[in-house]
Amino acid sequence: MRGRFAELLFIKRLGFFKTFLHVLSQYEIGPRVLLPYTRQLVKMLMRIGDMTAYGISYHTVDPHGKPILASGVIYMPRKKGKPKGVIEVSPLTRSKIDCASRDIMAAEIFPGMMGYVTIIPDLIGCGISDKRPIAYLQHENVAAVSADMRRAASEFLEKQLHYQLPTESLLFGYSLGGSGVWALARYYQQHPQQGVRVSHIFAGGGAYYPAVALRAFHSTRYSDYAILPNIVYSMNHYDHLNLDFTRIFKGELLKNYSHWCKGNIPIPELTQMIGTRLDRYLDFDFFDNQNPAYMRLMKTVEEKTIPEDWTPKAKVHLFHSRHDTYVPIACFWELYKRLKRCGASVEYKLLDHDHVPAAVPFELDFISFLIK
């Protein structure tokens, strides 16, 4: 039953101009960030068009390998003629309320408005499976869920719209989606029976080496993006760590973690609530290399590194910000050096904005690639 189309959840039509303004307001992207990219924006606005969003549910598995019903969204261009291709997006999920099926005007759909079918799954813990914690850093599961979403999309489009989905995909992901799309690329290459060929991988701002990021946070005790409590809570649930949160969290976070850390609150809002200094809401006595519980957590985090047992056949496009305060740039350099060692076709661009504003030039570069 894995991957079979289950049910149509909704159909909504999206006008490109309203969607464009919504995303800019949601991510607080102002003129200062957009001005250097005026020419690219004009080119994009001349070519993009309206879309129809189809929300679907489908069968897949959770991080424990148990069957579960998941959800996601397929975006179809409304221009006449066949779509130009397929873009698979690994989602940038900040909370349960801004996943693909809850917030259908997500920033990741801009490239698809250039005339491509765009497929965005919800992570387990979002959408129809939102009774569970969000499955952060469960890369193998993210890949399996995304691949099942593509199969479900293929069956749905053929059945409902008599459209046969091409076998080639472009992969696109930023931040949490950057590491997610990297896991998906590996999955397709190691599972040729899926019948999907990946031609290009666009990954930006990803924590490809989670342990590197965690050690950086431990060293600086500072983070502009308070996602670490959610990650620890999620891994405790999905990796059976049996952590004692009274020894990890403190203050208001300790009082409310069972609600906050499931992903019910957008991370920017949570950051405003608990602050940017980690030692204000985390008990650093726990983060001791001699602490067995901390050692157990770090071992699990190390295991979340996407295995280096493959060399991408697709062209890899990496992006990261020099001044990223969300995901340390060391994660990017580790991946880039590894790809150069194994002889992969890879190019990169370092951006000058912080993590969120850097998503704009990342998307615009991808759109320029699609135009060319």
Side-chain angles (χ1 to χ4, degrees):
M1 288 292 291
R2 282 189 63 192
R4 287 195 62 184
F5 162 65
E7 183 181 356
L8 175 66
L9 298 176
F10 60 79
I11 302 175
K12 294 186 179 179
R13 293 184 175 183
L14 301 178
F16 77 86
F17 192 68
K18 183 178 179 181
T19 303
F20 181 73
L21 294 179
H22 170 81
V23 172
L24 293 185
S25 64
Q26 182 184 24
Y27 288 88
E28 299 180 355
I29 304 300
R32 182 171 171 269
V33 174
L34 294 176
L35 193 60
Y37 306 99
T38 303
R39 183 176 296 180
Q40 288 168 286
L41 281 168
V42 171
K43 286 183 178 180
M44 181 188 79
L45 291 171
M46 289 174 62
R47 288 171 169 82
I48 64 178
D50 296 347
M51 306 182 79
T52 301
Y54 299 91
I56 65 169
S57 63
Y58 62 99
H59 293 281
T60 186
V61 293
D62 69 8
H64 298 144
K66 296 180 179 179
I68 191 173
L69 202 61
S71 52
V73 182
I74 310 162
Y75 298 88
M76 285 290 290
R78 293 173 60 193
K79 290 182 178 179
K80 293 182 179 179
K82 289 186 178 180
K84 297 176 182 178
V86 181
I87 299 172
E88 291 186 65
V89 178
S90 190
L92 166 62
T93 301
R94 302 187 298 174
S95 72
K96 295 179 184 292
I97 63 175
D98 58 27
C99 64
S101 63
R102 295 286 191 267
D103 179 17
I104 61 170
M105 292 192 288
E108 296 102 325
I109 69 173
F110 275 159
M113 298 180 94
M114 306 296 297
Y116 287 76
V117 179
T118 305
I119 302 171
I120 309 182
D122 293 328
L123 295 179
I124 299 301
C126 296
I128 205 168
S129 64
D130 66 358
K131 299 303 180 185
R132 304 183 182 208
I134 296 177
Y136 292 109
L137 300 183
Q138 301 292 329
H139 292 132
E140 289 188 9
N141 181 248
V142 169
V145 167
S146 299
D148 284 343
M149 173 69 186
R150 192 192 202 281
R151 290 176 60 193
S154 179
E155 293 175 14
F156 169 78
L157 292 174
E158 188 166 0
K159 180 179 179 181
Q160 300 293 326
L161 304 181
H162 309 292
Y163 172 73
Q164 188 169 359
L165 201 65
T167 57
E168 181 179 302
S169 279
L170 301 168
L171 303 188
F172 176 81
Y174 188 75
S175 192
L176 183 66
S179 49
V181 83
W182 191 242
L184 179 59
R186 172 180 176 268
Y187 182 91
Y188 279 142
Q189 191 162 311
Q190 295 197 333
H191 295 81
Q193 68 274 19
Q194 293 278 332
V196 178
R197 186 179 76 85
V198 177
S199 56
H200 290 267
I201 306 163
F202 281 76
Y208 316 103
Y209 296 84
V212 172
L214 184 59
R215 291 191 183 98
F217 292 141
H218 182 237
S219 173
T220 62
R221 302 197 176 192
Y222 179 88
S223 175
D224 274 342
Y225 196 63
I227 197 171
L228 186 56
N230 289 23
I231 290 175
V232 173
Y233 186 88
S234 174
M235 291 176 63
N236 183 68
H237 176 83
Y238 289 110
D239 295 289
H240 306 297
L241 296 180
N242 297 315
L243 297 174
D244 179 0
F245 289 111
T246 64
R247 296 196 57 200
I248 305 173
F249 302 150
K250 63 182 183 181
E252 291 300 308
L253 180 62
L254 179 58
K255 296 177 185 177
N256 298 284
Y257 73 86
S258 61
H259 175 68
W260 291 357
C261 294
K262 285 183 178 178
N264 294 305
I265 301 175
I267 303 300
E269 184 178 328
L270 181 61
T271 307
Q272 290 181 347
M273 293 164 60
I274 63 177
T276 56
R277 290 290 308 176
L278 271 63
D279 49 15
R280 290 183 179 176
Y281 56 85
L282 298 179
D283 186 343
F284 269 80
D285 287 341
F286 171 81
F287 294 87
D288 185 329
N289 289 329
Q290 304 304 314
N291 183 343
Y294 176 64
M295 292 171 64
R296 191 163 68 249
L297 172 65
M298 283 304 300
K299 181 177 183 295
T300 305
V301 172
E302 292 278 6
E303 292 170 352
K304 300 306 175 187
T305 299
I306 299 162
E308 298 183 352
D309 55 356
W310 66 301
T311 299
K313 296 178 181 178
K315 177 67 177 286
V316 181
H317 310 258
L318 294 179
F319 294 75
H320 212 96
S321 171
R322 294 183 179 91
H323 313 293
D324 198 320
T325 57
Y326 287 19
V327 180
I329 195 171
C331 292
F332 155 79
W333 283 119
E334 286 289 327
L335 180 58
Y336 178 74
K337 288 187 290 185
R338 180 248 155 175
L339 291 174
K340 294 299 288 184
R341 285 197 305 268
C342 72
S345 177
V346 56
E347 61 182 35
Y348 74 89
K349 180 176 285 189
L350 294 179
L351 307 167
D352 291 323
H353 306 293
D354 199 352
H355 186 85
V356 174
V360 175
F362 171 61
E363 288 216 34
L364 290 175
D365 264 59
F366 184 42
I367 290 169
S368 296
F369 167 83
L370 297 178
I371 292 174
K372 293 175 184 178

